[in-house]
Amino acid sequence: MTRPKILLLTPPMTQLNTPYPATAYLTGFLQMHGYTVEQRDPAIELILSLLSRHGLSEIKAELEANFEDIPVEERPDEVQYFLENFMTYANTVEPCIRFLQGKDPSLAIRLSSRQYLPEGLGFDGLHQMEEIEGPEHLAQAFGNLGIQDKGKYLASLYVAGLVSVINAGVDPRFELSRYGERLAASNPSFDDLHESIEGQETFVDEVQKSIILSYLNDTQPDVVGITLPFPGNVYAGFKIAQTIKQWNASTRVVMGGGYVNTELRSLKDPRVFDYVDYICVDDGERPLLNLLEHLSGIRPAEELMRTYQRKDGVVVYWDSRKTHDIPHKDTGTPTYRGMPLDRYLSICELPNPMHRIWSDGRWNKVTLAHGCYWNKCSFCDVTLDYIARYDEAQADIILARMEALIAETGQTGFHFVDEAAPPKVLLALANRIIEKGLTVTWWGNIRFEKTFTPKVAQILAASGCIAVSGGLEVASDRLLKLMSKGVTVDQVARVTRALTDAGILVHAYLMYGFPTQTKRETVEALEYVRQLFKAGCIQSAYWHRFAATVHSPVGKNPEKFGIRLLPHDDIQFATNDIDFEDPTGCDHETLGEGLKRALYNYMHGMGLHEPLPIWFEEPIPKHKIPADFIESALAR
């Protein structure tokens, strides 16, 4: 093979508002090395094909065929409501999509009237809030002049409702931000995924196949790279690989991405390579360069780096140390050429100014440093390259990449996608942005550490920072010490308040179910969170159920954390989360819904003065946290 032509793809589903950055990073890097590279985003193309007048007509025909022999009263509510109101959906779907693409802002007035869209699907949460607060709920959230945001919120609920119809009646694997996740997440066997790939194709599969064939015919690639960032991309990724091999069996298919890096490090099942030729682990730049040189005949297979392949019917893993990873400063500038940037959807799922940032607006993605400068948290994959190998770029290099992306896209919004943005680089970059008089808007993930003083927060805000997210995790000083988080609840309160006072929105990642965590400690964590919301320190948060992973200190040294692992005996495909026994005996399942219910209300500014037991179905332990704990911490 001469120097190959390359096509890079992100399978459905990820975000609807902006491209996932992996292909943009690799496209810029490979083009810098002289390769002809195209990139496409079948995820946005798929959702736009489904949510069109023609797409809904096809979905209607599928539903009528699938439920022809099922009595109306036994059909899923979503399916029956859609069929009964089909013409209303058919008439509103394309105007609604154009509005979410920012192409028809005048529609906001009709959307906000509550007379334009059918509200039978996707609006349950809103209707419940209106039952509690009354019809003025949206007026409190958006005011009298927030017509555009209100319209975006209602249109987002409408889109979620249509996706629920597809899930209920056409393809139960399909969701708004994931596709077939259960098939891939920590599944030690390839059987479930293999059966689905080879099984009866759904309407969604057929639409995706037509999209991929159009890409292949248009670009005529020799090599197709497929990034699998999450379990919810894996099924679609393998269906895409299957389509590529049916189109041209000699086209090489390469997979990589976050899911591969964390879950496929014990891969043994050779059937995986019926669909894919190579699988690269960890950062893709150097493994891809070596692989492309191998395919061009100038590098032997023995010099492949972190690459799986099937040879003589057996999975082999090549990891030559002849070459090294590309330093972060030399990875080049991402490029979005080939992406339909004007077709993404700005989604507002909650009327919460911080929560919406993930899904609303299009963000250029930039990484300040490879890996995590802290690299100590016991729940994190600190043994893997994407965390363990810390390598920062200087502020001037980052700024040059930002300016190049502004020139290419015409957009000045940036999401720094670091595991935790290094304060030294962040502050240097902020000062350079201010010195140059550059107008940008940015947000990213940080650690709530002492470096972020009120003065530093003001500098970040002046440079364009609008929001940060960070881990408060278990919100218990005992457990924060056990997990080597390096922060205390007091400290988080002061840092988040400094950021909020500077006009920066704050989202807190929360965790429950950590080893040895008691029910009382979980309730006390909720009390800390309530006080943080009440004091205005944080505006948004999300509870995650703790999962022990094979690459974390908890997974490597469970005895240190007082638990016993229950690993799978025969791992042929994926492994990441591990079941475990905690002798503490706390039933965290009984707390999950109450924690989420409380948080949902706090993010709407409701229930902040209510006693904690109202959120739970079962009795909870009485906490011992002083009612003014956070206020006192702020005063100190």
Side-chain angles (χ1 to χ4, degrees), residues 5-12 38-49 207-221 224 240 243-244 247 338-340 343-344:
K5 293 188 296 182
I6 305 157
L7 173 64
L8 301 178
L9 302 172
T10 303
E38 297 284 349
Q39 60 179 328
R40 300 289 186 270
D41 188 353
I44 191 64
E45 300 286 357
L46 177 62
I47 201 72
L48 293 178
S49 295
V207 174
Q208 177 180 267
K209 187 172 187 176
S210 68
I211 291 168
I212 298 303
L213 288 173
S214 71
Y215 294 162
L216 296 172
N217 291 325
D218 178 48
T219 61
Q220 296 291 315
V224 180
I240 289 172
T243 298
I244 295 166
W247 176 74
M339 296 298 204
R343 304 192 73 199
Y344 288 87

mmCIF file of all heavy atoms in Angstrom, residues 5-12 38-49 207-221 224 240 243-244 247 338-340 343-344:
data_model
loop_
_atom_site.group_PDB
_atom_site.id
_atom_site.type_symbol
_atom_site.label_atom_id
_atom_site.label_comp_id
_atom_site.label_asym_id
_atom_site.label_seq_id
_atom_site.Cartn_x
_atom_site.Cartn_y
_atom_site.Cartn_z
ATOM 1 N N LYS A 5 -4.959 6.772 2.177
ATOM 2 C CA LYS A 5 -5.965 7.801 2.471
ATOM 3 C C LYS A 5 -6.758 7.337 3.690
ATOM 4 O O LYS A 5 -7.121 6.170 3.791
ATOM 5 C CB LYS A 5 -6.902 8.007 1.285
ATOM 6 C CG LYS A 5 -6.248 8.615 0.069
ATOM 7 C CD LYS A 5 -7.274 8.961 -0.995
ATOM 8 C CE LYS A 5 -7.967 7.708 -1.533
ATOM 9 N NZ LYS A 5 -8.934 8.026 -2.613
ATOM 10 N N ILE A 6 -7.046 8.284 4.569
ATOM 11 C CA ILE A 6 -7.604 7.928 5.872
ATOM 12 C C ILE A 6 -8.941 8.630 6.090
ATOM 13 O O ILE A 6 -9.093 9.818 5.757
ATOM 14 C CB ILE A 6 -6.625 8.322 7.002
ATOM 15 C CG1 ILE A 6 -5.253 7.686 6.763
ATOM 16 C CG2 ILE A 6 -7.176 7.934 8.370
ATOM 17 C CD1 ILE A 6 -4.118 8.404 7.443
ATOM 18 N N LEU A 7 -9.896 7.903 6.659
ATOM 19 C CA LEU A 7 -11.178 8.459 7.086
ATOM 20 C C LEU A 7 -11.328 8.171 8.576
ATOM 21 O O LEU A 7 -11.171 7.036 9.017
ATOM 22 C CB LEU A 7 -12.329 7.819 6.309
ATOM 23 C CG LEU A 7 -13.755 8.173 6.766
ATOM 24 C CD1 LEU A 7 -14.031 9.666 6.580
ATOM 25 C CD2 LEU A 7 -14.784 7.337 6.007
ATOM 26 N N LEU A 8 -11.644 9.211 9.365
ATOM 27 C CA LEU A 8 -11.822 9.069 10.805
ATOM 28 C C LEU A 8 -13.280 9.312 11.178
ATOM 29 O O LEU A 8 -13.894 10.284 10.721
ATOM 30 C CB LEU A 8 -10.921 10.047 11.562
ATOM 31 C CG LEU A 8 -9.409 9.907 11.311
ATOM 32 C CD1 LEU A 8 -8.643 10.965 12.092
ATOM 33 C CD2 LEU A 8 -8.924 8.514 11.687
ATOM 34 N N LEU A 9 -13.835 8.443 12.039
ATOM 35 C CA LEU A 9 -15.259 8.488 12.378
ATOM 36 C C LEU A 9 -15.464 8.380 13.886
ATOM 37 O O LEU A 9 -14.734 7.662 14.564
ATOM 38 C CB LEU A 9 -16.007 7.326 11.708
ATOM 39 C CG LEU A 9 -15.935 7.204 10.183
ATOM 40 C CD1 LEU A 9 -16.570 5.893 9.747
ATOM 41 C CD2 LEU A 9 -16.635 8.385 9.525
ATOM 42 N N THR A 10 -16.505 9.081 14.380
ATOM 43 C CA THR A 10 -16.997 8.894 15.745
ATOM 44 C C THR A 10 -18.389 8.288 15.652
ATOM 45 O O THR A 10 -19.315 8.931 15.161
ATOM 46 C CB THR A 10 -17.075 10.225 16.507
ATOM 47 O OG1 THR A 10 -15.794 10.849 16.508
ATOM 48 C CG2 THR A 10 -17.530 9.997 17.946
ATOM 49 N N PRO A 11 -18.585 7.046 16.123
ATOM 50 C CA PRO A 11 -19.896 6.397 15.987
ATOM 51 C C PRO A 11 -20.944 7.046 16.895
ATOM 52 O O PRO A 11 -20.611 7.681 17.900
ATOM 53 C CB PRO A 11 -19.634 4.958 16.437
ATOM 54 C CG PRO A 11 -18.151 4.811 16.510
ATOM 55 C CD PRO A 11 -17.592 6.166 16.745
ATOM 56 N N PRO A 12 -22.208 6.877 16.580
ATOM 57 C CA PRO A 12 -23.282 7.296 17.487
ATOM 58 C C PRO A 12 -23.201 6.477 18.789
ATOM 59 O O PRO A 12 -22.806 5.306 18.746
ATOM 60 C CB PRO A 12 -24.552 6.947 16.718
ATOM 61 C CG PRO A 12 -24.113 6.858 15.269
ATOM 62 C CD PRO A 12 -22.717 6.335 15.310
ATOM 63 N N GLU A 38 -9.670 12.607 6.035
ATOM 64 C CA GLU A 38 -11.015 13.176 6.130
ATOM 65 C C GLU A 38 -11.629 12.719 7.451
ATOM 66 O O GLU A 38 -11.285 11.656 7.964
ATOM 67 C CB GLU A 38 -11.894 12.698 4.971
ATOM 68 C CG GLU A 38 -11.414 13.120 3.599
ATOM 69 C CD GLU A 38 -11.703 14.580 3.290
ATOM 70 O OE1 GLU A 38 -12.468 15.207 4.061
ATOM 71 O OE2 GLU A 38 -11.159 15.089 2.294
ATOM 72 N N GLN A 39 -12.541 13.527 7.982
ATOM 73 C CA GLN A 39 -13.262 13.120 9.187
ATOM 74 C C GLN A 39 -14.751 13.405 9.009
ATOM 75 O O GLN A 39 -15.139 14.349 8.324
ATOM 76 C CB GLN A 39 -12.727 13.849 10.418
ATOM 77 C CG GLN A 39 -12.839 15.370 10.354
ATOM 78 C CD GLN A 39 -12.312 16.044 11.611
ATOM 79 O OE1 GLN A 39 -12.394 15.500 12.700
ATOM 80 N NE2 GLN A 39 -11.765 17.256 11.450
ATOM 81 N N ARG A 40 -15.557 12.549 9.596
ATOM 82 C CA ARG A 40 -17.010 12.698 9.525
ATOM 83 C C ARG A 40 -17.606 12.353 10.889
ATOM 84 O O ARG A 40 -17.000 11.646 11.688
ATOM 85 C CB ARG A 40 -17.614 11.781 8.453
ATOM 86 C CG ARG A 40 -17.124 12.023 7.038
ATOM 87 C CD ARG A 40 -17.670 13.327 6.470
ATOM 88 N NE ARG A 40 -17.309 13.483 5.061
ATOM 89 C CZ ARG A 40 -16.200 14.085 4.622
ATOM 90 N NH1 ARG A 40 -15.317 14.549 5.507
ATOM 91 N NH2 ARG A 40 -15.961 14.190 3.327
ATOM 92 N N ASP A 41 -18.828 12.815 11.110
ATOM 93 C CA ASP A 41 -19.531 12.558 12.363
ATOM 94 C C ASP A 41 -20.876 11.899 12.073
ATOM 95 O O ASP A 41 -21.892 12.580 11.929
ATOM 96 C CB ASP A 41 -19.738 13.856 13.138
ATOM 97 C CG ASP A 41 -20.297 13.616 14.530
ATOM 98 O OD1 ASP A 41 -20.643 12.463 14.844
ATOM 99 O OD2 ASP A 41 -20.394 14.582 15.312
ATOM 100 N N PRO A 42 -20.908 10.564 11.976
ATOM 101 C CA PRO A 42 -22.182 9.899 11.681
ATOM 102 C C PRO A 42 -23.219 10.052 12.783
ATOM 103 O O PRO A 42 -24.409 9.865 12.528
ATOM 104 C CB PRO A 42 -21.770 8.418 11.518
ATOM 105 C CG PRO A 42 -20.439 8.290 12.156
ATOM 106 C CD PRO A 42 -19.777 9.623 12.043
ATOM 107 N N ALA A 43 -22.806 10.413 13.997
ATOM 108 C CA ALA A 43 -23.771 10.562 15.087
ATOM 109 C C ALA A 43 -24.750 11.699 14.792
ATOM 110 O O ALA A 43 -25.974 11.525 14.899
ATOM 111 C CB ALA A 43 -23.044 10.807 16.403
ATOM 112 N N ILE A 44 -24.231 12.862 14.415
ATOM 113 C CA ILE A 44 -25.142 13.987 14.141
ATOM 114 C C ILE A 44 -25.936 13.722 12.871
ATOM 115 O O ILE A 44 -27.112 14.076 12.777
ATOM 116 C CB ILE A 44 -24.368 15.329 14.077
ATOM 117 C CG1 ILE A 44 -25.346 16.503 14.072
ATOM 118 C CG2 ILE A 44 -23.452 15.394 12.865
ATOM 119 C CD1 ILE A 44 -26.168 16.627 15.337
ATOM 120 N N GLU A 45 -25.309 13.071 11.888
ATOM 121 C CA GLU A 45 -26.031 12.752 10.655
ATOM 122 C C GLU A 45 -27.175 11.774 10.935
ATOM 123 O O GLU A 45 -28.258 11.883 10.367
ATOM 124 C CB GLU A 45 -25.066 12.131 9.633
ATOM 125 C CG GLU A 45 -23.904 13.019 9.223
ATOM 126 C CD GLU A 45 -24.301 14.154 8.290
ATOM 127 O OE1 GLU A 45 -25.485 14.218 7.909
ATOM 128 O OE2 GLU A 45 -23.424 14.966 7.958
ATOM 129 N N LEU A 46 -26.941 10.825 11.844
ATOM 130 C CA LEU A 46 -27.974 9.840 12.162
ATOM 131 C C LEU A 46 -29.167 10.495 12.840
ATOM 132 O O LEU A 46 -30.320 10.256 12.453
ATOM 133 C CB LEU A 46 -27.386 8.749 13.061
ATOM 134 C CG LEU A 46 -28.368 7.675 13.553
ATOM 135 C CD1 LEU A 46 -28.967 6.902 12.378
ATOM 136 C CD2 LEU A 46 -27.673 6.721 14.526
ATOM 137 N N ILE A 47 -28.911 11.317 13.847
ATOM 138 C CA ILE A 47 -30.026 11.932 14.574
ATOM 139 C C ILE A 47 -30.809 12.873 13.671
ATOM 140 O O ILE A 47 -32.043 12.954 13.738
ATOM 141 C CB ILE A 47 -29.535 12.654 15.855
ATOM 142 C CG1 ILE A 47 -30.691 12.826 16.846
ATOM 143 C CG2 ILE A 47 -28.896 13.983 15.557
ATOM 144 C CD1 ILE A 47 -31.129 11.566 17.520
ATOM 145 N N LEU A 48 -30.116 13.571 12.759
ATOM 146 C CA LEU A 48 -30.815 14.475 11.844
ATOM 147 C C LEU A 48 -31.623 13.702 10.811
ATOM 148 O O LEU A 48 -32.685 14.165 10.374
ATOM 149 C CB LEU A 48 -29.817 15.405 11.148
ATOM 150 C CG LEU A 48 -29.105 16.420 12.054
ATOM 151 C CD1 LEU A 48 -28.107 17.243 11.248
ATOM 152 C CD2 LEU A 48 -30.107 17.320 12.752
ATOM 153 N N SER A 49 -31.144 12.541 10.415
ATOM 154 C CA SER A 49 -31.913 11.708 9.482
ATOM 155 C C SER A 49 -33.165 11.155 10.145
ATOM 156 O O SER A 49 -34.246 11.127 9.538
ATOM 157 C CB SER A 49 -31.044 10.548 8.967
ATOM 158 O OG SER A 49 -29.966 11.023 8.201
ATOM 159 N N VAL A 207 -30.419 3.112 8.587
ATOM 160 C CA VAL A 207 -30.122 4.525 8.322
ATOM 161 C C VAL A 207 -28.630 4.785 8.508
ATOM 162 O O VAL A 207 -27.993 5.450 7.680
ATOM 163 C CB VAL A 207 -30.960 5.434 9.250
ATOM 164 C CG1 VAL A 207 -30.538 6.898 9.082
ATOM 165 C CG2 VAL A 207 -32.448 5.276 8.950
ATOM 166 N N GLN A 208 -28.066 4.255 9.588
ATOM 167 C CA GLN A 208 -26.632 4.440 9.811
ATOM 168 C C GLN A 208 -25.818 3.837 8.663
ATOM 169 O O GLN A 208 -24.839 4.444 8.198
ATOM 170 C CB GLN A 208 -26.206 3.800 11.134
ATOM 171 C CG GLN A 208 -24.702 3.895 11.383
ATOM 172 C CD GLN A 208 -24.275 3.259 12.686
ATOM 173 O OE1 GLN A 208 -24.185 3.932 13.700
ATOM 174 N NE2 GLN A 208 -23.991 1.959 12.676
ATOM 175 N N LYS A 209 -26.213 2.668 8.200
ATOM 176 C CA LYS A 209 -25.476 2.007 7.108
ATOM 177 C C LYS A 209 -25.464 2.869 5.851
ATOM 178 O O LYS A 209 -24.425 3.001 5.195
ATOM 179 C CB LYS A 209 -26.111 0.649 6.820
ATOM 180 C CG LYS A 209 -25.337 -0.194 5.829
ATOM 181 C CD LYS A 209 -25.934 -1.595 5.748
ATOM 182 C CE LYS A 209 -25.081 -2.517 4.879
ATOM 183 N NZ LYS A 209 -25.605 -3.904 4.884
ATOM 184 N N SER A 210 -26.586 3.480 5.537
ATOM 185 C CA SER A 210 -26.641 4.326 4.331
ATOM 186 C C SER A 210 -25.741 5.546 4.482
ATOM 187 O O SER A 210 -25.113 5.993 3.514
ATOM 188 C CB SER A 210 -28.081 4.743 4.055
ATOM 189 O OG SER A 210 -28.569 5.632 5.049
ATOM 190 N N ILE A 211 -25.666 6.089 5.705
ATOM 191 C CA ILE A 211 -24.788 7.243 5.963
ATOM 192 C C ILE A 211 -23.323 6.844 5.776
ATOM 193 O O ILE A 211 -22.553 7.551 5.114
ATOM 194 C CB ILE A 211 -25.035 7.781 7.383
ATOM 195 C CG1 ILE A 211 -26.421 8.423 7.486
ATOM 196 C CG2 ILE A 211 -23.954 8.789 7.778
ATOM 197 C CD1 ILE A 211 -26.855 8.727 8.907
ATOM 198 N N ILE A 212 -22.943 5.704 6.332
ATOM 199 C CA ILE A 212 -21.548 5.253 6.239
ATOM 200 C C ILE A 212 -21.172 4.949 4.789
ATOM 201 O O ILE A 212 -20.069 5.307 4.335
ATOM 202 C CB ILE A 212 -21.326 4.018 7.129
ATOM 203 C CG1 ILE A 212 -21.585 4.360 8.592
ATOM 204 C CG2 ILE A 212 -19.918 3.471 6.945
ATOM 205 C CD1 ILE A 212 -20.757 5.499 9.131
ATOM 206 N N LEU A 213 -22.063 4.320 4.054
ATOM 207 C CA LEU A 213 -21.772 4.026 2.640
ATOM 208 C C LEU A 213 -21.567 5.306 1.845
ATOM 209 O O LEU A 213 -20.708 5.359 0.952
ATOM 210 C CB LEU A 213 -22.898 3.184 2.043
ATOM 211 C CG LEU A 213 -22.950 1.718 2.518
ATOM 212 C CD1 LEU A 213 -24.207 1.032 1.995
ATOM 213 C CD2 LEU A 213 -21.705 0.957 2.070
ATOM 214 N N SER A 214 -22.323 6.344 2.163
ATOM 215 C CA SER A 214 -22.128 7.621 1.446
ATOM 216 C C SER A 214 -20.760 8.204 1.756
ATOM 217 O O SER A 214 -20.092 8.748 0.872
ATOM 218 C CB SER A 214 -23.239 8.605 1.809
ATOM 219 O OG SER A 214 -23.114 9.076 3.141
ATOM 220 N N TYR A 215 -20.302 8.082 3.010
ATOM 221 C CA TYR A 215 -18.959 8.552 3.365
ATOM 222 C C TYR A 215 -17.892 7.767 2.603
ATOM 223 O O TYR A 215 -16.932 8.347 2.067
ATOM 224 C CB TYR A 215 -18.695 8.362 4.862
ATOM 225 C CG TYR A 215 -19.527 9.188 5.806
ATOM 226 C CD1 TYR A 215 -19.637 8.821 7.148
ATOM 227 C CD2 TYR A 215 -20.189 10.339 5.396
ATOM 228 C CE1 TYR A 215 -20.381 9.565 8.043
ATOM 229 C CE2 TYR A 215 -20.942 11.090 6.285
ATOM 230 C CZ TYR A 215 -21.037 10.696 7.609
ATOM 231 O OH TYR A 215 -21.774 11.422 8.502
ATOM 232 N N LEU A 216 -18.044 6.445 2.568
ATOM 233 C CA LEU A 216 -17.039 5.589 1.928
ATOM 234 C C LEU A 216 -16.960 5.864 0.437
ATOM 235 O O LEU A 216 -15.862 5.961 -0.137
ATOM 236 C CB LEU A 216 -17.373 4.117 2.186
ATOM 237 C CG LEU A 216 -17.325 3.664 3.653
ATOM 238 C CD1 LEU A 216 -17.861 2.248 3.788
ATOM 239 C CD2 LEU A 216 -15.898 3.753 4.207
ATOM 240 N N ASN A 217 -18.106 6.015 -0.196
ATOM 241 C CA ASN A 217 -18.113 6.285 -1.636
ATOM 242 C C ASN A 217 -17.556 7.665 -1.951
ATOM 243 O O ASN A 217 -16.942 7.874 -3.001
ATOM 244 C CB ASN A 217 -19.535 6.143 -2.183
ATOM 245 C CG ASN A 217 -20.017 4.701 -2.177
ATOM 246 O OD1 ASN A 217 -19.244 3.775 -2.396
ATOM 247 N ND2 ASN A 217 -21.298 4.499 -1.903
ATOM 248 N N ASP A 218 -17.754 8.581 -1.026
ATOM 249 C CA ASP A 218 -17.282 9.953 -1.242
ATOM 250 C C ASP A 218 -15.776 10.067 -1.050
ATOM 251 O O ASP A 218 -15.087 10.754 -1.812
ATOM 252 C CB ASP A 218 -18.012 10.895 -0.286
ATOM 253 C CG ASP A 218 -17.556 12.330 -0.418
ATOM 254 O OD1 ASP A 218 -17.476 12.832 -1.547
ATOM 255 O OD2 ASP A 218 -17.273 12.971 0.628
ATOM 256 N N THR A 219 -15.228 9.390 -0.013
ATOM 257 C CA THR A 219 -13.813 9.582 0.333
ATOM 258 C C THR A 219 -12.896 8.478 -0.163
ATOM 259 O O THR A 219 -11.677 8.676 -0.235
ATOM 260 C CB THR A 219 -13.664 9.694 1.864
ATOM 261 O OG1 THR A 219 -14.119 8.479 2.480
ATOM 262 C CG2 THR A 219 -14.480 10.859 2.403
ATOM 263 N N GLN A 220 -13.433 7.282 -0.461
ATOM 264 C CA GLN A 220 -12.639 6.154 -0.948
ATOM 265 C C GLN A 220 -11.396 5.908 -0.087
ATOM 266 O O GLN A 220 -10.261 5.895 -0.563
ATOM 267 C CB GLN A 220 -12.222 6.398 -2.410
ATOM 268 C CG GLN A 220 -13.368 6.463 -3.394
ATOM 269 C CD GLN A 220 -14.044 5.097 -3.596
ATOM 270 O OE1 GLN A 220 -13.367 4.080 -3.748
ATOM 271 N NE2 GLN A 220 -15.367 5.093 -3.593
ATOM 272 N N PRO A 221 -11.572 5.655 1.198
ATOM 273 C CA PRO A 221 -10.405 5.521 2.083
ATOM 274 C C PRO A 221 -9.722 4.156 1.954
ATOM 275 O O PRO A 221 -10.351 3.149 1.615
ATOM 276 C CB PRO A 221 -11.020 5.683 3.473
ATOM 277 C CG PRO A 221 -12.403 5.114 3.312
ATOM 278 C CD PRO A 221 -12.846 5.510 1.925
ATOM 279 N N VAL A 224 -9.752 3.217 7.694
ATOM 280 C CA VAL A 224 -10.795 3.922 8.450
ATOM 281 C C VAL A 224 -10.497 3.760 9.935
ATOM 282 O O VAL A 224 -10.382 2.640 10.435
ATOM 283 C CB VAL A 224 -12.202 3.383 8.138
ATOM 284 C CG1 VAL A 224 -13.250 4.157 8.958
ATOM 285 C CG2 VAL A 224 -12.507 3.494 6.653
ATOM 286 N N ILE A 240 -20.518 -0.137 12.085
ATOM 287 C CA ILE A 240 -19.830 0.639 11.047
ATOM 288 C C ILE A 240 -18.688 -0.183 10.459
ATOM 289 O O ILE A 240 -18.505 -0.235 9.226
ATOM 290 C CB ILE A 240 -19.308 1.965 11.636
ATOM 291 C CG1 ILE A 240 -20.481 2.917 11.923
ATOM 292 C CG2 ILE A 240 -18.303 2.624 10.690
ATOM 293 C CD1 ILE A 240 -20.090 4.165 12.688
ATOM 294 N N THR A 243 -20.016 -2.694 8.069
ATOM 295 C CA THR A 243 -20.388 -2.061 6.794
ATOM 296 C C THR A 243 -19.163 -1.806 5.932
ATOM 297 O O THR A 243 -19.184 -2.018 4.717
ATOM 298 C CB THR A 243 -21.132 -0.744 7.064
ATOM 299 O OG1 THR A 243 -22.334 -1.016 7.792
ATOM 300 C CG2 THR A 243 -21.475 -0.031 5.767
ATOM 301 N N ILE A 244 -18.075 -1.352 6.567
ATOM 302 C CA ILE A 244 -16.838 -1.072 5.815
ATOM 303 C C ILE A 244 -16.317 -2.340 5.157
ATOM 304 O O ILE A 244 -15.940 -2.336 3.967
ATOM 305 C CB ILE A 244 -15.772 -0.472 6.757
ATOM 306 C CG1 ILE A 244 -16.222 0.898 7.268
ATOM 307 C CG2 ILE A 244 -14.427 -0.354 6.037
ATOM 308 C CD1 ILE A 244 -15.412 1.402 8.448
ATOM 309 N N TRP A 247 -18.353 -3.265 2.230
ATOM 310 C CA TRP A 247 -18.094 -2.345 1.118
ATOM 311 C C TRP A 247 -16.794 -2.718 0.409
ATOM 312 O O TRP A 247 -16.747 -2.778 -0.818
ATOM 313 C CB TRP A 247 -18.027 -0.915 1.662
ATOM 314 C CG TRP A 247 -17.678 0.142 0.668
ATOM 315 C CD1 TRP A 247 -18.489 0.644 -0.312
ATOM 316 C CD2 TRP A 247 -16.430 0.846 0.566
ATOM 317 N NE1 TRP A 247 -17.820 1.615 -1.026
ATOM 318 C CE2 TRP A 247 -16.553 1.761 -0.495
ATOM 319 C CE3 TRP A 247 -15.235 0.793 1.280
ATOM 320 C CZ2 TRP A 247 -15.514 2.608 -0.865
ATOM 321 C CZ3 TRP A 247 -14.203 1.636 0.917
ATOM 322 C CH2 TRP A 247 -14.352 2.535 -0.150
ATOM 323 N N GLY A 338 -14.332 19.253 7.610
ATOM 324 C CA GLY A 338 -15.074 18.038 7.299
ATOM 325 C C GLY A 338 -16.268 17.833 8.195
ATOM 326 O O GLY A 338 -17.139 17.009 7.898
ATOM 327 N N MET A 339 -16.333 18.559 9.312
ATOM 328 C CA MET A 339 -17.453 18.439 10.237
ATOM 329 C C MET A 339 -18.538 19.466 9.888
ATOM 330 O O MET A 339 -18.227 20.629 9.605
ATOM 331 C CB MET A 339 -16.991 18.665 11.674
ATOM 332 C CG MET A 339 -16.003 17.625 12.168
ATOM 333 S SD MET A 339 -16.715 15.975 12.182
ATOM 334 C CE MET A 339 -15.704 15.177 13.410
ATOM 335 N N PRO A 340 -19.803 19.080 9.942
ATOM 336 C CA PRO A 340 -20.886 20.013 9.616
ATOM 337 C C PRO A 340 -21.225 20.896 10.813
ATOM 338 O O PRO A 340 -22.255 20.722 11.482
ATOM 339 C CB PRO A 340 -22.042 19.071 9.265
ATOM 340 C CG PRO A 340 -21.807 17.860 10.124
ATOM 341 C CD PRO A 340 -20.307 17.722 10.239
ATOM 342 N N ARG A 343 -24.685 22.240 11.763
ATOM 343 C CA ARG A 343 -25.810 21.309 11.856
ATOM 344 C C ARG A 343 -25.992 20.716 13.255
ATOM 345 O O ARG A 343 -26.934 19.961 13.479
ATOM 346 C CB ARG A 343 -25.643 20.182 10.840
ATOM 347 C CG ARG A 343 -25.475 20.662 9.393
ATOM 348 C CD ARG A 343 -25.595 19.517 8.424
ATOM 349 N NE ARG A 343 -26.983 19.066 8.303
ATOM 350 C CZ ARG A 343 -27.342 17.875 7.817
ATOM 351 N NH1 ARG A 343 -26.419 17.015 7.442
ATOM 352 N NH2 ARG A 343 -28.614 17.551 7.738
ATOM 353 N N TYR A 344 -25.115 21.059 14.182
ATOM 354 C CA TYR A 344 -25.245 20.523 15.535
ATOM 355 C C TYR A 344 -26.386 21.216 16.280
ATOM 356 O O TYR A 344 -26.779 22.341 15.948
ATOM 357 C CB TYR A 344 -23.920 20.664 16.289
ATOM 358 C CG TYR A 344 -22.879 19.695 15.775
ATOM 359 C CD1 TYR A 344 -22.061 20.021 14.692
ATOM 360 C CD2 TYR A 344 -22.739 18.438 16.349
ATOM 361 C CE1 TYR A 344 -21.130 19.125 14.196
ATOM 362 C CE2 TYR A 344 -21.802 17.532 15.866
ATOM 363 C CZ TYR A 344 -21.005 17.879 14.792
ATOM 364 O OH TYR A 344 -20.099 16.978 14.300
#
